[in-house]
Each structure stands twice: as C-alpha cells, then as structure tokens.
Amino acid sequence: MFHYTVDVSTGMNETIERLEESLKQEGFGVLWQFSVTEKLQEKGLDFSTPMVILEVCNPKEAARVLNENLLVGYFLPCKLVVYQENGTTKIGMPKPTMLVGMVNEPALKEIAEDIEKRLVACIDQCRQ
C-alpha cells in the first residue's frame, strides 16, 4: 500500500492538536495547515467531508535527503491528512518509502525508512 492510515477515537480538532504535539516531539514542524473542506466550499463546491492537510517538515532530514538528490524536493514537505469518513476520524499519509522508491537510490531508501518509522510513531500516538 502506498499509504499508512489509521482510525482514531478523537474528533478532528483534538486529533490535529495531538498530532502536532507528537510531531513536535519528533522534531517535525507544521509548515502549513489547509482545510480542504473550507477551501472547496469557499469556491462554491459541494464538499462536506471534514478534511485537513498538514504539511510537515524536519529541516535536518529535509537537508539530508536534498543533499542526496534534489528530485526528492518533489515529495517535500511530507503530507499528513486528518479526515472523517463514516463518522470516524482518520489520520493518513503517503509512505515516504514509496515516494522515494521512485528515485531508486539506496541511500535515500534508508533515510526514508527512518522518517517513515518516526511519522508512523507520531500517528500511532494519536490512537491511544
């Protein structure tokens, strides 16, 4: 699977707050938070599913992967999505290992595995 997605027992706002705190503990900052729902409704479109995209970055890791291959910039920053489906709040992300796999460089794969492990841990903390 190209993504990692889990169900959580909290609502959207609490989930986002918990996720931001968990990310901060791992050295990731939220660069931008974007409500897909609000933006589409603002444009007059019929979309009511609560969905927020968080773009997150760990500057040290970003520099590390970019120094290996500038094409990785196409995948940055990492995206985490919080949304509701059938009354359940979910958190998901595209797996960094899957994205970096398209570049096909062994050194990048190891870095992506580490970043993915850390982001999965941040997401999993929100399940408790």
Side-chain angles (χ1 to χ4, degrees), residues 4 6 11 22 24 26 33-34 38-39 49-50 54-55 57-58 65 71 76-78 81 101 103 112 118 123 126:
Y4 180 76
V6 300
S22 177
K24 189 185 301 182
E26 270 299 326
Q33 182 175 315
F34 171 70
E38 288 177 16
K39 184 53 75 176
T49 302
L54 290 86
E55 292 194 336
C57 183
N58 178 310
V65 295
L71 292 177
L76 298 180
C78 295
V81 181
V103 179
R118 292 163 62 194
I123 291 171
C126 296

Side-chain angles (χ1 to χ4, degrees), residues 96-109:
T97 53
M98 297 298 287
L99 297 171
V100 166
M102 291 186 267
V103 179
N104 198 22
E105 282 190 34
L108 286 174
K109 185 178 182 203

Side-chain angles (χ1 to χ4, degrees), residues 15-83:
T15 298
I16 292 168
E17 288 173 16
R18 292 178 73 188
L19 183 57
E20 287 176 335
E21 184 57 37
S22 177
L23 289 164
K24 189 185 301 182
Q25 292 173 8
E26 270 299 326
F28 289 87
V30 176
L31 301 174
W32 190 48
Q33 182 175 315
F34 171 70
S35 171
V36 175
T37 312
E38 288 177 16
K39 184 53 75 176
L40 292 178
Q41 289 177 353
E42 178 183 297
K43 299 296 181 184
L45 300 169
D46 182 24
F47 185 79
S48 59
T49 302
M51 178 179 279
V52 174
I53 298 172
L54 290 86
E55 292 194 336
V56 304
C57 183
N58 178 310
K60 178 183 169 195
E61 299 299 348
R64 202 167 137 201
V65 295
L66 289 168
N67 281 325
E68 290 290 330
N69 189 323
L70 292 175
L71 292 177
V72 177
Y74 294 170
F75 311 134
L76 298 180
C78 295
K79 288 182 177 37
L80 296 161
V81 181
V82 179
Y83 63 101

Side-chain angles (χ1 to χ4, degrees), residues 4-10 15 83 85-92 123-124 126-128:
Y4 180 76
T5 304
V6 300
D7 295 352
V8 295
S9 60
T10 53
T15 298
Y83 63 101
E85 185 175 53
N86 300 322
T88 301
T89 304
K90 298 175 179 273
I91 306 172
I123 291 171
D124 285 346
C126 296
R127 298 172 86 176
Q128 303 166 0

